[in-house]
Each structure stands twice: as structure tokens, then as C-alpha cells.
Amino acid sequence: MSTSASQPRRVALVTGASQGIGAGLVAAYRALGYAVVANSRNIRQGDDTDIVAVPGHIGERAVAERIVQTALDRFGRIDTLINNAGIFVAKPFSEYTVQDFRDVIDVNLGGFFHVTQLAIPQMLRQRAGHIVQITTTLVEQPIAGVPAGLASLTKGGLDAVTRGLAIEYAKDGIRVNAVSPGVIRTPMHAPETHAFLAGLHPMGRMGEIDEIVDAVRYLEQAAFVTGETLHVDGGQHAGR
Ligand SMILES: NC(=O)c1ccc[n+]([C@@H]2O[C@H](COP(=O)([O-])OP(=O)(O)OC[C@H]3O[C@@H](n4cnc5c(N)ncnc54)[C@H](OP(=O)(O)O)[C@@H]3O)[C@@H](O)[C@H]2O)c1
């Protein structure tokens, strides 16, 4: 996309960007003409100078500060923030360790809180912005045999705050939405589990990264949509 004085080039921040859904989102936003600031713990700078890698644990305030400051120093604005970084620890609830609890809270909630809080002031200055969370359909439809209490706890919070911030900032031009996936074929899931995971969906298959990316792309251009959680889950949220 060309940049003109009347329409500056847009800038997206993507967390958890080194693989899976996050890497798909980086590619999609670049294809839309955005500059991208891409974060994960192990991300490395590539050849494309319009993708700036900011390595670090997204649960750390200093990393969130570096992501936002990098966007402002390099590109001068922030249009979209995609809170994609997340970890999934499936265990019976009574077997979670305190360390499991801290790890999941730090990434799934801390990873949302710090960077979102720091990006919003720039969006307020621009009087425009879009924030997207990647949640999970387990928030509304827990599955027997898939114990995931910490996913419900943390992604449920993200789902709720999506509507909370959508209302808080609706008059400021900032939209806040979420995409709620079923089980998606990413490196998160070992290939030997795929047949079992496919069977957890009414449609009988896992989702693909592109199907989540398409949903985010829809929300990006949906100017009258805010506070929405868009399910992309092969029917999981509807029932079994
Ligand atoms: N795949 C699914 O079935 C599914 C279903 C529902 C929801 N989701 C959600 O979708 C999002 C992406 O999932 P995915 O399947 O693409 O995951 P994935 O393949 O496991 O990739 C996770 C990404 O997050 C990064 N990451 C992990 N911990 C981080 C941290 N502390 N700070 C910064 N980055 C971190 C990883 O890179 P580094 O290792 O370099 O840090 C990686 O880039 C997650 O929020 C997940 O909960 C996924």
C-alpha cells in the first residue's frame, strides 16, 4: 500500500508473533500494507525492515514498553494491537502448580494488560485504534475430558475485558474485539494429537491458521463492530 500525507501508513503490534497464529497475522498485516512490530521471547529480526522484532516476555512491563516505544520511534503511530501471545496448560484443576498459575496469568493476562495499557494513549491521540484479543471457545463451552481451568480463568478475563474496553473507549474511536478459536492446527499441538482434537469440533476437523487470520482481517475493516467475540471454532460454541 502506498503512503501519502493524507493517509499515513498504518502500524500493527502483534504479540506471540514467531509462529502459529501470530506469524500468520504478521504476514497478513504486511500484505495489507501495515508496518508491524512483532514480539515473542525468541523472535529474531528478519530482512523485511517493515517488520521490527522486539524480543522478550510479554508479561514484563519493560518488554511492553519497548514494543510501544519501538512502534512510535520507528513508525510514529499505533493503529492495531493484536494480543495473541498465550500459553495453554491442560491439567485437572487440583493438579495445577502455583508456577503453572503464575506462568499462565503472566502471559495470558499480564501479556494483555501491560501492552494494551501502554498502546491506548497513542490511540487516544490519534482518535482511532483497534485492539484484538485471541481467546478460546473453552470460555463458553468447556469440554468433558479437556481440563483447562487456567485457560477459562484467563481467556474468560480477556473475553470480558474486550466488552469492557469496547464500551470505555467507544466514543474515542478505539474498537476492541476478540476472536475465539476452536482448536487450530499450529505448533501448539503435536501432530499425533490432531485426530483426537479434530473430533472435538461439531464440524469434525481442526481449524487452520488462515481461518483465524481471516476473522481478524474482517474485524479490522468492520468499522461498526466493537465489543464482539467472533467464534471461529467449527461450531464448538453452539453446542455438541
Ligand atoms: N492453537 C489453538 O488451538 C488455539 C486455540 C484457542 C486459542 N489459541 C490462542 O491463540 C494464540 C496463539 O496460539 P498458537 O496456537 O499460534 O500458539 P503457538 O503456536 O504455541 O505460538 C505461541 C506464540 O506465542 C509466543 N509466546 C509464548 N510465550 C510468550 C511470552 N511469554 N511472551 C511473548 N511471546 C510468547 C511464542 O513464541 P516464543 O516461544 O518465541 O515466545 C509463539 O510465537 C494463543 O493466545 C492461544 O491461547 C490457540
Side-chain angles (χ1 to χ4, degrees):
M1 183 193 294
S2 65
T3 304
S4 72
S6 59
Q7 198 178 34
R9 186 173 49 167
R10 290 168 296 174
V11 178
L13 316 185
V14 180
T15 69
S18 64
Q19 65 175 35
I21 294 167
L25 288 165
V26 171
Y29 274 78
R30 281 297 295 127
L32 290 170
Y34 285 62
V36 177
V37 177
N39 156 265
S40 85
R41 289 165 303 177
N42 303 304
I43 201 159
R44 296 284 171 265
Q45 182 61 45
D47 294 336
D48 183 346
T49 53
D50 285 331
I51 302 174
V52 180
V54 177
H57 186 319
I58 190 60
E60 293 175 10
R61 185 81 175 182
V63 172
E65 285 168 352
R66 271 207 304 281
I67 294 169
V68 168
Q69 202 53 52
T70 298
L72 297 180
D73 290 348
R74 292 288 295 270
F75 305 116
R77 54 188 291 124
I78 298 171
D79 296 278
T80 297
L81 164 62
I82 306 176
N83 289 306
N84 167 73
I87 57 174
F88 182 66
V89 183
K91 280 185 185 174
F93 194 71
S94 59
E95 293 178 17
Y96 280 123
T97 64
V98 171
Q99 194 59 48
D100 290 333
F101 174 69
R102 289 194 180 125
D103 289 346
V104 178
I105 294 278
D106 276 356
V107 182
N108 292 9
L109 293 185
F112 160 83
F113 177 79
H114 299 298
V115 73
T116 303
Q117 195 181 46
L118 294 166
I120 282 175
Q122 178 62 25
M123 293 178 174
L124 287 172
R125 279 191 284 278
Q126 295 169 195
R127 296 208 57 79
H130 188 209
I131 302 169
V132 183
Q133 281 62 251
I134 308 297
T135 64
T136 169
T137 287
L138 289 168
V139 169
E140 297 104 327
Q141 290 284 347
I143 299 173
V146 183
L150 286 181
S152 305
L153 189 63
T154 55
K155 298 289 190 175
L158 294 183
D159 184 54
V161 81
T162 293
R163 288 182 294 282
L165 294 190
I167 297 306
E168 192 171 335
Y169 293 105
K171 294 232 165 42
D172 298 306
I174 302 174
R175 294 184 301 114
V176 188
N177 290 302
V179 173
S180 179
V183 188
I184 308 304
R185 204 145 56 90
T186 74
M188 181 180 277
H189 305 293
E192 58 271 22
T193 64
H194 287 187
F196 166 74
L197 295 172
L200 298 178
H201 303 79
M203 291 180 72
R205 69 168 175 88
M206 297 174 78
E208 301 295 337
I209 291 170
D210 279 354
E211 293 174 310
I212 303 303
V213 170
D214 281 349
V216 176
R217 234 185 330 233
Y218 161 72
L219 291 168
E220 187 60 54
Q221 52 81 53
F224 202 46
V225 177
T226 194
E228 175 67 5
T229 296
L230 181 52
H231 293 86
V232 183
D233 62 7
Q236 278 185 336
H237 73 284
R240 295 195 53 135

